Structure formats: C-alpha cells, structure tokens
Amino acid sequence: QPSVAIFNSFDSLLLLKRGGETVFFGELGNESYNLIEYLESYPATNPIKGGENPATWMLTAIGAGSAGSADDFDYAKAYAHSPLAGDCIEKIDAMNDESTEEDEIIFETKYATTMKTQSIAVYKRLSTIYWRSPGYNRVRLLVSGIVALLFGSVFASQRVPKTEGDMNSRVTSIYITALFLGVNAMNTVLPVFEMERNMFYRHKASLMYDHRAITLAFTLVEIPFILLSSLVFCLLWYFTVGFAVEAGKFFLYWLFMTFSLGVFTFLGQGFMSLFRDSQTAQGFGSLLIGMSSIFGGILIRPQDIHDFWIWAYWTFPLHYVLEGLFTSQFQGDNTPIEATIGSPFYKYVINKNCPLLPSDHSNPTHCITGTAEDWIYVSFGGMWVPENIPYDILYLIGAVIVAKAMSLYGLKQRNYLAK
C-alpha cells in the first residue's frame, strides 16, 4: 500500500475486498476524511490511531491487512445498502439517461498502438532477452566453432583432393556439418520459443500486441545470431578444408550455410507455434530432418532415387542447401581427380579423354584423370549444376516464408495456455 502522503493525494478510491466485492467507492476527502468517517461509522471498525497510515488502517479494518480482522462484519454487504452506494447508482443512472451518440466511446483499432509501435516494443524486449540468454546464443556459436574445427581438422594434412575417395570424404563432411548444424538450430530454438510463446498468449489476451508483431520480432532478433553462427563456422571450416580462396565462393558458402541455419531455426519456431509442447514439435522436426537427410541427394544420389520418392527430393530443404554448397565451391575447380576403375566417373573421363583407346589397353594416367568439377557433375547424375544456384536460393527464401507463415497461423489460431 502507498505511503500517507501518496495515499492522501488521491482524489477517489475504489476499495475491493477479496472476491472483488466493493467496500468503498467515492471521494477520499481532505486527508482521507471521507473514507475514515465512512468506515468508523460501523461499530465493528477500530478507530484509526493518530499518525497511522489510512491505507494500512483500511485494509486491516476490512480484514485484508497482514493482521486481518477478527470481526465477521461484512463491509461489502454494508456498502451495498449504504447511502454511498445509492448515490453512486444514482450518478450512473443519470449518466446513462444523458448519454448520446456523440458521447459514445469508439475505438478505431483493436489495439491501443499501431503495428509499428508494437513491433518496435516487442523487438526491443526480445533483443534484451536474447542478449541475456547465453545458454542459447553463446552455446550455438560455440557449437558452430567446435563442429568446424572437429571436421576441418580431418583435412588439415590433405587440403587438396586427389582421388574419388578424397572427394567422397569432402562431400560427406559437408553433408554432415550442414545437417548437424541444422538439427542443432531446430532443437535449441524450441524451448526458447515455447517460453516466449506462452508469455505471448497472456499478452494477446490483454490486447497488448498481436501475432504479427511477435513473429516479425522473432525473425529480426534471430538474424544477427544466425549470420554470426554461420560466419564462425565458415571462417574456421572453409580455409581448413582447403576451398578456393575466392571472395565470391566464400560468400556463397556463407550464404547457403546461413540459409540452412535460418530455414531450420524458423521451421522450429513454426512447429512450436502449431503444436502444444516442445516434445511434439521436436517429433515433427525429427521427421522433417530424417526425410531431408535421406532424400537430400547424398545418401541416395538424385539419379538413383525411385520415382515414387522423387517428390521428397524436390520438397525438403537440405537438397537445395547441399546443391548450392557443392556447385558453388567446385565450379571451375580443375583439381586433378584420379578415377576409380569401374566407377561412373571412370567411364566418363575415359570417354572424354581417350575415347579411341582400346578396351584391352592399359589406361594412361591422363586418360583416367578428370577434374573436381567433372566429378561433382558425374556423381550427381548431371542434376547438380551451377546454373541451379539461383533456383536454390529462391527455394530457400520460399522455405523461410513458409516457416514464417506457419508461425503466423499458429500464433493467431492456437492457444495452448493452461487454463
């Protein structure tokens, strides 16, 4: 309760007892004279002592103070039959009788502030929360660095591939790192988003802001950390593996890793918006990740996927991330790669380099040696080519939009707050 000076500064007071019943409603008067006179008019009220805080005294009198009241006197029932309540009802009736259409209070919008004001306020709040969440943001930065160093160290002693085995090793490592970081991004965002989502339900009920404001804020607040996480990974991974020291190729690798982290992070938010808890959302996320990993083009090459499952290859996002990573890095890469006898790449380089060589003749080295760019082309059945990079980028942008649409729909239509 307020101090004596603050309490006596109030003009009027609405005093409720436990349960929301009115005990007093009216003007306080000079130094709370009206309140004190009214409550002391009942024999059950102990008179106020000199210098006592009226706020403390009135709560004690009605049984709401820390000491409570031993008397069973019902102040709410007494007020309902008092002249003070009668005067209040008369004022309300008079105001209703004098009301006109011009006096009607109409709100032009559902919310007290504009969409811009809501978005700015929510963004500032979420920014503060994110900067104060080391368990989420620092850990994912640390994981990005550890994964890069762990897998990059494998190639530290052999930065230039020479055989098909070396190329397969690099392709597999790129696949694993992209998949691992995507899984980590989706799983770690679920509990963070769930906590803020449940808080949003309360704010939504009080009409503080709508679902568009928090969706936009969650998008903007994630972007710097996604960019930083992918940059930490690329700086430690890209040069360790021995990729070309070219700004364009580095930027494309960073771009596709950023898209990978972004898509899986925003899909995690989308699942969390649609489903009740993080366990359910994680279950659907695991299904998405499993299908992406199987039909991403690495475990089963695109040309080997059965017609019945080809829809999965074109639907799930990992394929587009990996295609962008491989084709951007090995485009124009003339590193000599020695073919393995009997492999599709072996047949390709023989027909390309020595088409007239007799089949029973020993193969000179130059006949069974192709380039890293050729190996990527042959290994993926000619389906992964640099010309597809713009389409990969467009798909991944579309995937982010779909994920945000899931969040918008879930936050607008669902409410899993425990009653």
Side-chain angles (χ1 to χ4, degrees):
Q1 59 271 13
S3 65
V4 177
I6 294 177
F7 187 77
N8 287 336
S9 299
F10 295 156
D11 295 324
S12 301
L13 173 71
L14 172 61
L15 178 61
L16 305 177
K17 65 176 290 185
R18 183 172 298 174
E21 297 178 280
T22 303
V23 171
F24 175 86
F25 180 57
E27 295 184 0
L28 280 175
N30 184 37
E31 296 188 351
S32 306
Y33 175 81
N34 294 342
L35 171 67
I36 296 171
E37 182 184 39
Y38 170 75
L39 291 179
E40 287 186 343
S41 66
Y42 298 112
T45 304
N46 295 322
I48 189 172
K49 299 177 182 178
E52 186 175 3
N53 187 343
T56 304
W57 171 77
M58 70 177 182
L59 294 177
T60 303
I62 68 173
S66 58
S69 175
D71 205 308
D72 293 331
F73 183 72
D74 191 342
Y75 283 92
K77 185 176 181 180
Y79 172 79
H81 296 88
S82 69
L84 194 62
D87 293 341
C88 181
I89 297 298
E90 289 178 4
K91 290 180 180 179
I92 294 175
D93 291 338
M95 293 174 65
N96 288 333
D97 293 339
E98 296 173 0
S99 63
T100 62
E101 292 185 1
E102 290 77 11
D103 297 330
E104 184 180 2
I105 300 176
I106 300 176
F107 297 99
E108 297 181 357
T109 60
K110 183 178 180 180
Y111 299 94
T113 59
T114 63
M115 176 63 185
K116 179 180 179 181
T117 303
Q118 295 175 39
S119 300
I120 292 174
V122 178
Y123 172 74
K124 289 181 178 179
R125 173 177 168 273
L126 286 179
S127 295
T128 302
I129 292 173
Y130 265 56
W131 282 110
R132 294 177 179 177
S133 303
Y136 176 46
N137 292 307
R138 292 182 188 173
V139 168
R140 59 175 165 173
L141 292 175
L142 185 62
V143 168
S144 296
I146 291 175
V147 170
L149 293 175
L150 183 63
F151 285 91
S153 63
V154 176
F155 304 100
S157 59
Q158 188 183 11
R159 294 159 56 85
V160 179
K162 297 179 180 178
T163 65
E164 286 199 68
D166 295 338
M167 288 297 296
N168 273 312
S169 177
R170 277 164 170 74
V171 164
T172 303
S173 296
I174 294 173
Y175 161 73
I176 292 175
T177 53
L179 179 63
F180 185 91
L181 293 178
V183 172
N184 182 68
M186 176 175 286
N187 289 338
T188 54
V189 78
L190 295 179
V192 176
F193 191 85
E194 182 181 21
M195 179 180 64
E196 293 305 315
R197 181 203 68 176
N198 294 339
M199 182 64 68
F200 163 73
Y201 291 150
R202 294 183 174 89
H203 293 167
K204 179 182 177 182
S206 61
L207 298 181
M208 292 179 63
Y209 53 87
D210 72 353
H211 59 286
R212 294 173 298 170
I214 192 171
T215 301
L216 177 61
F218 258 117
T219 303
L220 296 178
V221 80
E222 277 283 357
I223 290 176
F225 293 100
I226 291 173
L227 288 170
L228 187 58
S229 296
S230 59
L231 181 60
V232 168
F233 171 79
C234 290
L235 288 174
L236 298 176
W237 159 262
Y238 188 89
F239 301 103
T240 306
V241 176
F243 287 138
V245 185
E246 298 179 18
K249 289 189 174 183
F250 177 83
F251 173 77
L252 285 173
Y253 202 99
W254 182 29
L255 176 65
F256 280 103
M257 285 304 301
T258 300
F259 270 126
S260 179
L261 294 179
V263 167
F264 284 107
T265 297
F266 294 139
L267 283 173
Q269 293 181 356
F271 286 138
M272 198 66 255
S273 301
L274 292 173
F275 303 114
R276 178 176 297 276
D277 49 41
S278 57
Q279 290 79 15
T280 306
Q282 190 172 35
F284 281 90
S286 298
L287 177 62
L288 170 71
I289 291 168
M291 294 293 287
S292 293
S293 63
I294 293 173
F295 298 103
I298 302 300
L299 300 182
I300 306 175
R301 292 295 197 258
Q303 66 273 22
D304 297 328
I305 297 177
H306 193 277
D307 291 342
F308 179 80
W309 290 105
I310 198 65
W311 63 269
Y313 168 76
W314 294 111
T315 301
F316 294 102
L318 190 59
H319 144 220
Y320 299 92
V321 173
L322 296 174
E323 182 179 18
L325 291 174
F326 293 149
T327 56
S328 65
Q329 295 312 303
F330 293 103
Q331 180 182 9
D333 189 343
N334 294 319
T335 301
I337 302 297
E338 184 177 337
T340 301
I341 296 177
S343 70
F345 183 59
Y346 175 84
K347 298 176 182 178
Y348 174 84
V349 294
I350 286 291
N351 292 331
K352 180 180 179 181
N353 299 334
C354 303
L356 301 179
L357 188 71
S359 57
D360 58 348
H361 193 279
S362 60
N363 299 319
T365 302
H366 75 276
C367 289
I368 60 172
T369 301
T371 65
E373 182 180 27
D374 290 338
W375 188 89
I376 292 294
Y377 178 83
V378 174
S379 181
F380 295 97
M383 298 177 67
W384 286 13
V385 292
E387 290 75 15
N388 291 343
I389 290 178
Y391 302 105
D392 297 330
I393 294 174
L394 287 176
Y395 171 90
L396 293 170
I397 292 174
V400 171
I401 294 174
V402 169
K404 292 289 93 182
M406 291 167 56
S407 296
L408 282 170
Y409 176 82
L411 293 173
K412 181 181 180 180
Q413 301 294 337
R414 299 283 187 266
N415 189 340
Y416 297 112
L417 188 64
K419 304 301 182 182

